[in-house]
Amino acid sequence: MLAVCLNNGMVSVRDQHRPRRPDGFALIRLLCGGICNTDLELKRGYYGFRGTPGHEFVGEVIAADDSHWIGQRVVGEINLACGHCEWCERGLGRHCPRRTVLGIMEHPGAFREFLTLPLGNLHRVPREIPTEHAVFVEPLAAACEILNQVRIPTRAPVAVLGDGKLGLLIGQVLKAHGAEVHQYGHHKDKLRLAASFDIEVRAGKKPPVAAYDWVVDATGSSDGLTQAVKMTRPRGTIIMKSTVHGLVKIDSAPVIVNEITLVGSRCGRFEPALKLLRGGRVRVDNLISEALPLQQAPLAFRLAAQPGAMKVLLNG
Ligand SMILES: [Zn+2]
Ligand SMILES: [Zn+2]
C-alpha cells in the first residue's frame, strides 16, 4: 500500500505493508485526509517527528471484530487512550498520560491507504455529510471544545482573532451557539468568506481596547495572545487556540490587574461537530483549496504551506 512519510523536512510516498490489525481495532481504508498546520509543523521536524502523519480523515472500515462496522464510512478520534487511568475513567482519554495520538505521537497517521484505530474511537458519518465535508470533523471538534470548556452566554459579543481555517470554523461554531461573533483578520478573501457565513468582520483598523468579555485567539501567531489581552475587559476570558512553536512572550501585568482568565483549548469530542455538519449549521465547502491523490502528497504539502492556503485534501 502507499504511505506518506515525513523525514528530515522531506515528504515522500512509499510502498509499505498493510498494517496488522490488533484486537479491538478496525482496519480502515482511507477515503480522504486533510492536511492541517500541525502536519506542516511535523514536516519541519517539530516534536522530532518522522513517519506517517495525518489525523484528519474519513475512511471505510474494511475489517473489525464486530462485523456491523464493516463497510461503514467513519471518522476517528485521534487520541488512543489506555482506558483505565484516572483520566480515562473520567471520560477524558484526550488527557490520558499514556495516550498515543494518530499521526502525531507514536501511532502512524492516516495519510496511507490503510490505517488502524480502536473501534471505540470511531464515529459513523451520517449519509447526509459528504466525505469532503466530514474530513473537517476533527478540526471542527476542536472548535466545539471551546463551548465544552467555558459557558458563553447566547448573544454575548465574542471576538475571534484570526481568519485562518480554524478561526473560520470557530467563528461559525460560536455563531451557531448564538453568540455575536466579530471575526478579526487581515485577509480580505477570508473575511469575505466569514461575512458569507453572516459573521460580522473587522479588518485592518486598530482592534478596540478592553472591549470584550470573550476573546478567542486563533491567530496562530505569537503576538495573538498579547493582542487578545488588550482587547479583553476586566474579569474577561481568553480562549487560547494558537499552538505556536517556541515561547510566547506575554506581559502578565494586565492579565493580573484585569483578572483575566486564560483557557488553553485543544481537541474535542466529535459528536457536536457531526451534528453541526449534518444540520448544515457550519459550512466547510468554501474552506477547501485543493484535493489531490495520495501519490501527490509532496505537492499537496507544498500547496498547503503557501500563504493564504485553505484546506488541502488527500484522496485515498
Ligand atoms: Zn489538525
Ligand atoms: Zn488512560
Side-chain angles (χ1 to χ4, degrees):
M1 66 160 193
L2 296 177
V4 176
C5 291
L6 300 183
N7 196 356
N8 280 327
M10 297 287 291
V11 184
S12 60
V13 181
R14 297 186 189 170
D15 201 15
Q16 281 182 351
H17 291 297
R18 268 194 202 191
R20 193 183 58 82
R21 180 180 70 85
D23 286 345
F25 279 60
L27 179 69
I28 300 159
R29 184 171 66 85
L30 178 72
L31 296 173
C32 184
I35 299 176
C36 98
N37 288 346
T38 305
D39 298 316
L40 300 176
E41 294 191 343
L42 295 177
K43 174 181 170 258
R44 283 181 216 122
Y46 292 166
Y47 323 111
F49 183 89
R50 53 170 61 184
T52 299
H55 55 274
E56 301 177 3
F57 80 95
V58 184
E60 182 195 345
V61 176
I62 298 295
D65 300 335
D66 175 352
S67 62
H68 288 102
W69 282 98
I70 294 171
Q72 298 281 347
R73 200 166 51 117
V74 295
V75 287
E77 305 214 10
I78 69 176
N79 295 283
L80 291 83
C82 78
H84 23 254
C85 71
E86 177 201 342
W87 296 98
C88 287
E89 267 163 21
R90 282 166 59 190
L92 286 170
R94 299 193 296 280
H95 293 288
C96 170
R98 285 200 288 273
R99 72 186 185 277
T100 60
V101 186
L102 177 73
I104 297 174
M105 221 163 66
E106 285 162 52
H107 189 81
F111 296 164
R112 46 186 174 146
E113 282 182 279
F114 297 93
L115 62 136
T116 61
L117 263 189
L119 278 176
N121 284 47
L122 302 185
H123 297 262
R124 289 186 179 85
V125 178
R127 209 171 340 147
E128 303 90 311
I129 309 177
T131 296
E132 59 276 18
H133 294 182
V135 75
F136 284 87
V137 165
E138 197 275 333
L140 187 55
C144 292
E145 173 69 355
I146 294 172
L147 295 172
N148 196 27
Q149 294 176 283
V150 296
R151 199 172 293 276
I152 300 177
T154 44
R155 285 193 285 278
V158 182
V160 176
L161 312 189
D163 53 10
K165 298 179 285 282
L166 184 58
L168 291 170
L169 291 175
I170 291 170
Q172 291 191 77
V173 165
L174 297 179
K175 171 109 195 326
H177 169 71
E180 185 188 319
V181 178
H182 300 168
Q183 191 112 32
Y184 287 81
H186 297 295
H187 304 92
K188 262 198 195 132
D189 44 339
K190 292 183 181 178
L191 288 176
R192 209 174 297 135
L193 213 52
S196 77
F197 305 140
D198 275 335
I199 290 172
E200 261 187 65
V201 299
R202 305 284 160 93
K205 48 182 186 263
K206 271 196 151 181
V209 173
Y212 294 93
D213 289 323
W214 307 93
V215 178
V216 181
D217 170 24
T219 56
S221 100
S222 52
D223 311 323
L225 186 56
T226 298
Q227 189 58 59
V229 169
K230 277 190 199 144
M231 294 171 71
T232 306
R233 277 155 46 102
R235 286 281 172 123
T237 300
I238 296 171
I239 297 104
M240 297 164 63
K241 275 292 188 188
S242 295
T243 31
V244 181
H245 190 74
L247 294 180
V248 171
K249 259 204 194 148
I250 175 92
D251 178 3
S252 61
V255 178
I256 294 162
V257 170
N258 294 320
E259 300 188 326
I260 291 170
T261 303
L262 301 178
V263 180
S265 181
R266 187 175 47 115
C267 30
R269 292 164 51 242
F270 277 22
E271 290 90 344
L274 281 163
K275 218 170 162 184
L276 285 170
L277 282 178
R278 187 183 198 172
R281 304 190 68 199
V282 165
R283 281 181 40 202
V284 295
D285 46 327
N286 291 325
L287 304 185
I288 302 168
S289 54
E290 203 88 41
L292 295 167
L294 202 56
Q295 292 92 318
Q296 292 188 36
L299 172 61
F301 268 74
R302 277 203 299 281
L303 294 173
Q306 274 174 359
M310 299 298 271
K311 186 66 74 186
V312 177
L313 302 180
L314 286 169
N315 290 324

